Amino acid sequence: MSHALETLIGHWKADPLSTYNTWFLWEERLKNFRSIRRGLAQVVKDIDAGTFGSAFRGSSLETVVGSVAEQRQIFKGADHAFLWKPKLRIPDIYENAINQQAFARLLHTCDCCNSAEEVIEAIRRIDARQIKGLGPAVANLLYFVHPTIVMPFNTAIVKGYNAVTGSSVKLGKWEHYLSMREGGLRLNAQHRNALSNDMGALAGLLFDIGSGRYAAPPRDDDAAAVQGWEADLEKVREESAAAHKRWAAERESDATHTEIQGWLRDLGKSLGYGVWIASNDQGRSYRGGRLGDGCLTQLPAQARAGLDSVRLIDVIWVEADGSKIAAAFEVEHSTSIYSGIVRMLDLALGTELGAGVSMFLVAPDARREDVRSQLRRPAFTRVAELGIRYLPYSELGAHRDAIGRFGSGLKPLNEISHLL
């Protein structure tokens, strides 16, 4: 099967609508690792402090699991396993305090350890408790802590793995998950040059097979099966071409995000600020150059000593003398607003320069209620203290030229934005 699987991987990576291109190479995926990991740490803190509560809705777990579920198609529905099912009383980590503590210890141990052996040991400990309704879906959380050790888990991934390997992995059993993980590691090692150390790449491939986008590769010695399988691949190519408009729309979304960053970059310069562009966006193409052209190459020392996630804030304006940060902007075109808010919190609460910074969530006019609802989440109770403002695209687009020519300071931005 090795040769046929290599052929499939090549087609999969070239397919613009495969999970490889729409999720694994998606820049927001990497941005979300930090915020999701911090969200899990908050779950542990809440459980240890006795403030987690006895329900999924409104808990810090709902916030972070919701962010995972927003990670495009491979994690769609990841929150279902954690939703409270009152008739079955599962998963039993809301009403049972002992089980809740065990869940917290799993998250904390995996966050603090560095080896696969320690992660597996933590999984075996939680499995030994036989917590009703708490199964391998937890791996979708642990993946964002250890992407090279833990493999994502859902029905389509399991189906894809069974189809590729001929295994009989079953849903809902940790021992089956660990078996699949071992086999996945071997499979990944065989094709690492075409895949990645990050187990998300292999999981994405298996997801596309298990969800029916691709047929599982046949064995090399079955010529008829190979021919039929290659015909199926060609069909997928044709379907991809027909759906290209959808892919183009997503690309347009990314382009819009970059354009808004460019507006904020140029406006900040016009107002006399030094401008920092998110470290992973600085090389993006923009108007014949790069988004990071003419921008700061490092943040003020007090911010650099803070959290790494601050460097991923979309745009930061720094006072001309470099003494402090004046404003921070998160552009939320179509991605999870949750992650942007977490990065704002990291700046405000995790660095010496965070106090007094003006913070703006810049989003399409139609996303105002999305922004409002996110800021109302119980996990963001401290957000109200920060005075984060919503700046609609339309207001920024209509007034940026005039502000750049005649404005000074942040007062004009405060005038066209809204405190939520």
Side-chain angles (χ1 to χ4, degrees):
M1 184 183 294
S2 178
H3 175 71
L5 186 55
E6 287 176 5
T7 302
L8 175 57
I9 292 172
H11 282 285
W12 177 67
K13 292 173 70 175
D15 178 1
L17 296 180
S18 69
T19 54
Y20 184 76
N21 287 298
T22 61
W23 172 71
F24 189 72
L25 296 184
W26 184 39
E27 293 182 1
E28 288 295 324
R29 182 182 79 95
L30 298 178
K31 276 190 176 184
N32 287 337
F33 269 86
R34 177 70 183 182
S35 57
I36 290 173
R37 187 168 182 171
R38 279 183 57 78
L40 292 174
Q42 186 62 50
V43 172
V44 174
K45 288 181 182 178
D46 290 348
I47 292 175
D48 287 345
T51 58
F52 180 81
S54 59
F56 178 72
R57 296 296 186 192
S59 71
S60 50
L61 181 62
E62 181 191 19
T63 301
V64 70
V65 170
S67 185
V68 172
E70 291 171 348
Q71 285 278 296
R72 294 194 169 172
Q73 68 268 48
I74 189 171
F75 286 106
K76 185 177 181 180
D79 53 342
H80 292 171
F82 297 92
L83 294 175
W84 174 237
K85 303 168 185 65
K87 291 183 179 179
L88 299 174
R89 319 214 69 77
I90 60 172
D92 193 12
I93 55 171
Y94 304 118
E95 296 179 336
N96 189 310
I98 294 176
N99 289 345
Q100 196 176 97
Q101 287 287 340
F103 179 58
R105 297 284 68 77
L106 169 70
L107 298 179
H108 177 71
T109 299
C110 290
D111 187 36
C112 295
C113 71
N114 295 310
S115 70
E117 290 75 17
E118 290 172 297
V119 171
I120 292 172
E121 177 61 25
I123 288 174
R124 293 194 187 282
R125 282 200 299 270
I126 199 76
D127 184 33
R129 295 197 60 83
Q130 294 293 296
I131 297 175
K132 191 177 178 182
L134 191 71
V138 177
N140 290 328
L141 305 182
L142 302 184
Y143 165 74
F144 286 92
V145 180
H146 290 293
T148 63
I149 294 174
V150 179
M151 189 171 170
F153 179 90
N154 62 27
T155 302
I157 293 172
V158 169
K159 285 183 178 179
Y161 178 78
N162 287 340
V164 168
T165 65
S167 303
S168 298
V169 172
K170 292 181 174 60
L171 292 166
K173 295 183 178 293
W174 274 112
E175 60 182 12
H176 280 249
Y177 168 79
L178 293 176
S179 172
M180 183 182 77
R181 175 190 167 275
E182 288 296 327
L185 288 171
R186 289 194 298 272
L187 199 60
N188 197 58
Q190 293 170 12
H191 300 280
R192 182 164 293 146
N193 290 338
L195 291 172
S196 170
N197 284 332
D198 186 326
M199 294 298 287
L202 175 63
L205 173 66
L206 298 177
F207 176 88
D208 280 348
I209 293 172
S211 60
R213 181 166 186 80
Y214 297 99
R219 303 200 174 275
D220 294 337
D221 56 359
D222 189 341
V226 169
Q227 185 177 6
W229 175 68
E230 289 178 346
D232 288 340
L233 277 181
E234 187 59 33
K235 181 181 178 182
V236 169
R237 278 180 163 179
E238 293 172 358
E239 291 172 350
S240 295
H244 195 269
K245 288 184 178 179
R246 199 170 55 209
W247 168 246
E250 291 187 9
R251 292 291 297 272
E252 183 180 348
S253 170
D254 291 339
T256 300
H257 186 281
T258 300
E259 182 180 21
I260 301 299
Q261 285 178 287
W263 288 1
L264 293 167
R265 179 197 71 178
D266 297 341
L267 180 56
K269 289 181 180 180
S270 296
L271 294 173
Y273 294 107
V275 178
W276 168 266
I277 297 293
S279 56
N280 61 333
D281 291 338
Q282 293 171 6
R284 284 190 174 191
S285 297
Y286 182 69
R287 294 189 177 178
R290 298 293 177 185
L291 193 57
D293 290 347
C295 294
L296 299 174
T297 58
Q298 61 181 18
L299 287 166
Q302 298 95 319
R304 296 201 304 274
L307 300 167
D308 290 340
S309 60
V310 173
R311 299 174 67 250
L312 297 176
I313 291 176
D314 286 323
V315 180
I316 294 175
W317 290 356
V318 179
E319 296 289 354
D321 60 3
S323 62
K324 65 177 183 177
I325 292 175
F329 303 85
E330 274 290 344
V331 181
E332 305 298 347
H333 184 69
S334 60
T335 55
S336 169
I337 295 169
Y338 162 81
S339 301
I341 296 174
V342 169
R343 287 190 285 272
M344 293 289 199
L345 288 170
D346 284 348
L347 172 61
L349 307 178
T351 68
E352 294 180 27
L353 289 180
V357 174
S358 294
M359 300 183 179
F360 299 87
L361 285 172
V362 189
D365 297 51
R367 296 203 81 191
R368 179 170 182 163
E369 288 308 312
D370 290 343
V371 173
R372 191 190 299 275
S373 63
Q374 287 288 341
L375 291 177
R376 286 173 174 168
R377 287 192 178 203
F380 295 142
T381 53
R382 299 202 61 183
V383 167
E385 304 170 17
L386 307 180
I388 295 179
R389 303 182 71 86
Y390 163 64
L391 177 56
Y393 282 5
S394 63
E395 295 290 340
L396 180 62
H399 300 289
R400 62 191 176 91
D401 288 338
I403 293 173
R405 291 178 62 191
F406 307 113
S408 63
L410 298 174
K411 185 177 179 180
L413 284 186
N414 289 333
E415 292 292 332
I416 64 172
S417 60
H418 311 284
L419 186 64
L420 295 176

